[in-house]
Amino acid sequence: RVAMQAGLALDGATHHDTRHGAAGVAGADEPADAIAELTARERQVLDLIAEGLSNRQIGERLYISGKTASVHVSAILRKLGASSRTEAVYLARATR
């Protein structure tokens, strides 16, 4: 649900950022490069964010604490250079 809304909600907001290679990982000029830097667990968490799950729900699904899920979400946002969960999903989907 979030992934479907992301294109509408962030189209203008991320156009400038992605055009200028604002991906957060050092040396990653394109969002695809930043996505490749995510760990397998971070990719799992990103998929669950795209489903609209909260940190608590992500934790329950992956058998980790909500705090650990939050740490993964923060790492995803940092690596992708995203300022929100929705933007992270948008960037990930735009590279597929």
Side-chain angles (χ1 to χ4, degrees):
R1 154 177 102 208
V2 173
M4 292 174 60
Q5 296 169 348
L8 295 174
L10 293 174
D11 189 40
T14 60
H15 176 71
H16 174 77
D17 294 339
T18 58
R19 186 178 67 223
H20 293 299
V25 175
D29 293 330
E30 298 292 328
D33 295 338
I35 296 294
E37 293 294 323
L38 296 178
T39 66
R41 180 60 109 186
E42 289 165 349
R43 284 189 211 104
Q44 286 178 320
V45 171
L46 184 57
D47 287 340
L48 296 174
I49 292 170
E51 289 182 27
L53 274 60
S54 68
N55 290 344
R56 183 182 55 77
Q57 292 167 323
I58 291 169
E60 289 171 0
R61 186 81 63 92
L62 298 178
Y63 302 103
I64 59 177
S65 72
K67 175 60 179 169
T68 300
S70 173
V71 170
H72 287 307
V73 171
S74 294
I76 292 165
L77 296 178
R78 179 178 37 78
K79 288 179 179 183
L80 297 182
S83 59
S84 71
R85 297 161 71 99
T86 305
E87 185 180 6
V89 170
Y90 175 81
L91 291 170
R93 298 301 182 236
T95 63
R96 289 185 179 177

